[in-house]
Amino acid sequence: MEKTDNSYIAIDLETTGLNPKTERIIEIGAARVEDGTVVQTYSTFVNPERELDARIRELTGICDDDLKDAPVLDTVLPELLAFCGELPLLGHHVIFDFSFLKRAAVNRKYTFEHAGLDTLKICRHFMPEEEKKNLAAACRYFAVDPGESHRALSDALAAHHLYQELKNRYFLEVPEVFAPFDLQGKTRTARVKKAKRSLAGITKIS
């Protein structure tokens, strides 16, 4: 495998919800991987400047007291951008994390352009259709320690270990599945599909 395909930033976010337009980041975890080895990690809570819903507290185990003295995103984002550099971003459904970070960066006049590596996308090639493919389930299926689910650094590291396991098993067989892809283009495609679905709904109503 080429060095560029085995050097990346494994990243995961915990957020107040699913929509990057209206929800906030509450935890960031990232690991810099060089030649398949973690060489540095980055982890921080982020003060969302709002109270958490009960469902988020239950899902993540993060409470408002954890966040009240945490730095705000304006402080954290420059540090994270420097940590990421220009390496590809790896995650389980990495477009989710990218979409939050992209919006945060654009809103603050930063550039944020990265290629992506998606363990969910890769798992869909190699796991039976009936198997669940969330990060914890995929890790169990491939005998990878999932760590503490729904905590950012733990999930980022789990995605890294899952990717390495998948690569060790399947890269020589189908290397194209492991090729980095354009996250920016993926985001645009998702927006177009969403717009088309909305338009179709309006047409049906009319």
Side-chain angles (χ1 to χ4, degrees):
M1 172 172 281
E2 294 181 4
K3 180 179 174 62
T4 53
D5 290 339
N6 212 23
S7 297
Y8 48 81
I9 302 295
I11 194 159
D12 185 79
L13 307 179
E14 300 303 326
T15 65
T16 60
L18 301 179
N19 188 340
K21 292 182 179 180
T22 58
E23 303 298 338
R24 306 284 181 85
I25 297 168
I26 59 174
E27 189 180 27
I28 300 171
R32 174 177 285 269
V33 177
E34 296 179 2
D35 271 345
T37 300
V38 174
V39 297
Q40 190 177 2
T41 60
Y42 178 90
S43 180
T44 184
F45 285 129
V46 182
N47 188 336
E49 301 179 285
R50 66 166 72 164
E51 290 187 357
L52 299 180
D53 291 342
R55 61 188 177 84
I56 298 299
R57 295 197 301 269
E58 183 178 351
L59 179 69
T60 63
I62 298 169
C63 65
D64 293 303
D65 282 348
D66 294 322
L67 305 177
K68 65 181 182 180
D69 296 324
V72 296
L73 191 57
D74 283 343
T75 300
V76 169
L77 192 61
E79 299 174 352
L80 180 66
L81 298 183
F83 184 86
C84 291
E86 298 182 356
L87 287 173
L89 302 182
L90 177 140
H92 202 73
H93 192 46
V94 70
I95 193 67
F96 173 85
D97 307 284
F98 176 78
S99 63
F100 269 86
L101 293 173
K102 178 68 175 180
R103 176 162 288 272
V106 168
N107 288 346
R108 292 162 179 80
K109 312 300 183 186
Y110 293 113
T111 299
F112 192 68
E113 306 287 345
H114 287 267
L117 295 162
D118 191 347
T119 49
L120 174 59
K121 177 182 173 184
I122 297 170
C123 284
R124 286 173 174 157
H125 281 269
F126 303 116
M127 291 177 66
E129 185 176 347
E130 67 274 11
E131 291 285 343
K132 291 183 179 180
K133 297 173 182 66
N134 60 59
L135 180 58
C139 284
R140 287 192 296 269
Y141 184 85
F142 289 107
V144 172
D145 182 0
E148 184 180 1
S149 295
H150 299 296
R151 291 303 303 270
L153 183 57
S154 179
D155 280 353
L157 290 170
H160 156 65
H161 292 305
L162 177 60
Y163 178 76
Q164 291 297 315
E165 180 64 25
L166 290 164
K167 178 181 67 70
N168 288 338
R169 292 189 188 206
Y170 301 115
F171 179 78
L172 293 178
E173 179 184 341
V174 278
E176 64 275 10
V177 172
F178 296 84
F181 59 90
D182 176 19
L183 277 169
Q184 185 68 29
K186 188 80 170 177
T187 305
R188 283 194 297 267
T189 300
R191 286 200 301 265
V192 169
K193 287 181 178 178
K194 183 177 180 180
K196 286 181 177 178
R197 287 196 298 269
S198 298
L199 182 60
I202 293 170
T203 303
K204 288 178 182 177
I205 292 170
S206 302

